[in-house]
Amino acid sequence: MLQQTASEIVTDPRKYLTLVYGIAGVGKTEFAAQIPGHYFFCTEAGIEGVRIFGDPILSWGDFLDKCDEIVAAKNAGWKDSEGKMLREILTIVIDTYENLYGYAGTWICNNTTFPEKGVQQKFKRIEDVPYGKGYKRTNELLLEKLNKLMLCGFGVLVISHSKERPVTWRGQDFQAYGPKLPPSAADGIIDACGAVSFFNTEETTSKDAEGVIAKVEEGRYMYWQNSFLIRAKHRLPGFPAKLPLPRGLGYQTYLDAFEKTLRNEESGKASTDNVNGG
């Protein structure tokens, strides 16, 4: 039967495909660990100081097996084979996406051939595949799997380190920021996401009476809207461009802003509907 009712607007940010990237130690993993119902796919060390639910993922095969295990648990009503209740998982956290991208690329190199000078052959590294076809296949493989997880009802949050690149504008030099991924991979995951944020610290530089230069951290922030120097976005209209990132309360700060923006959006829509209807 064809669906006769419109889908509901996603009101839970945990159901988004979200990318968070930033400098090391800024609080990306801490932010994700505060999400109720999270489950980490840990592709690297560095979570020792954060309490999480999750497992190490050391290969593309590990990733596929864990996805299958989680989907099976959901389909079983979050019960194990003995009927014991399991903790419900709502958001899968991939920490980090660039490592998972590497696993996928290695799997493709081991299992796929590409044409070169009319001959099908394998390549040892995905970056060696001619004309960027290796990157394209890796993007397709990863995004296809993330899309399936979303269709199964999970939110997915992917974490990446940041990469700086110099930019000159009107004679001034700046640093632009994006995820630490090949350009096509960065474009692919950003396009697929409903929300992308850059996490960073803001610092001031001062010089004392003896000429010693010191940097002082002013605060940590999350940036949720695109700018000349930052790749970011949010599909919820009117979402703030910048939010504080307090330790231990980063996700709650984001959630509060999401709920407030959603209320404002619904209120504005209701007002417009009343005007048009009147």
Side-chain angles (χ1 to χ4, degrees), residues 29 36 118 252 274 276:
T29 298
Q252 186 61 51
N274 288 337
N276 293 337

Side-chain angles (χ1 to χ4, degrees), residues 202-239:
E202 290 191 2
E203 298 176 329
T204 57
T205 303
S206 61
K207 183 187 296 185
D208 63 20
E210 298 179 354
V212 177
I213 297 176
K215 289 186 177 181
V216 179
E217 181 179 317
E218 294 293 320
R220 303 189 308 165
Y221 296 92
M222 358 178 201
Y223 301 84
W224 292 96
Q225 297 294 345
N226 204 44
S227 72
F228 175 60
L229 299 176
I230 296 170
R231 300 199 68 179
K233 73 176 190 180
H234 208 291
R235 285 185 178 158
L236 186 60
F239 195 83

Side-chain angles (χ1 to χ4, degrees), residues 31-205:
F31 174 89
Q34 296 163 17
I35 301 174
H38 74 260
Y39 200 89
F40 272 69
F41 288 9
C42 305
T43 67
E44 68 175 20
I47 59 170
E48 295 82 6
V50 182
R51 294 175 61 88
I52 65 162
F53 294 89
D55 285 300
I57 301 295
L58 304 178
S59 69
W60 183 247
D62 286 352
F63 173 69
L64 296 181
D65 290 344
K66 190 56 61 175
C67 287
D68 289 343
E69 183 181 349
I70 288 177
V71 171
K74 182 178 188 295
N75 291 339
W78 300 111
K79 294 180 181 179
D80 63 15
S81 58
E82 299 178 352
K84 182 180 178 180
M85 291 302 299
L86 301 172
R87 174 180 173 271
E88 183 180 10
I89 297 170
L90 296 173
T91 298
I92 294 169
V93 179
I94 299 171
D95 190 0
T96 63
Y97 187 71
E98 55 261 36
N99 284 348
L100 185 62
Y101 189 92
Y103 297 160
T106 298
W107 186 90
I108 288 171
C109 286
N110 292 335
N111 294 276
T112 307
T113 60
F114 296 89
E116 184 180 40
K117 297 180 180 179
V119 179
Q120 291 289 133
Q121 59 180 295
K122 290 183 178 180
F123 292 83
K124 290 184 178 180
R125 303 186 309 167
I126 205 69
E127 54 265 36
D128 293 336
V129 180
Y131 308 113
K133 292 183 177 180
Y135 289 132
K136 180 180 179 181
R137 182 69 188 98
T138 306
N139 291 340
E140 291 172 346
L141 182 65
L142 268 167
L143 295 177
E144 177 185 14
K145 191 60 184 180
L146 295 184
N147 185 55
K148 287 182 178 178
L149 289 172
M150 297 289 292
L151 290 175
C152 287
F154 297 101
V156 179
L157 186 145
V158 297
I159 295 174
S160 174
H161 295 293
S162 59
K163 179 171 64 176
E164 299 180 14
R165 60 182 178 87
V167 174
T168 301
W169 186 68
R170 293 185 176 180
Q172 290 184 286
D173 295 329
F174 300 93
Q175 292 295 327
Y177 296 90
K180 192 178 180 181
L181 292 162
S184 62
D187 291 342
I189 188 64
I190 288 173
D191 289 345
C193 281
V196 177
S197 183
F198 172 54
F199 284 19
N200 198 19
T201 58
E202 290 191 2
E203 298 176 329
T204 57
T205 303

Side-chain angles (χ1 to χ4, degrees), residues 263-277:
R263 288 195 303 269
N264 291 341
E265 173 69 11
E266 292 175 341
S267 176
K269 184 177 183 302
S271 298
T272 302
D273 289 345
N274 288 337
V275 171
N276 293 337

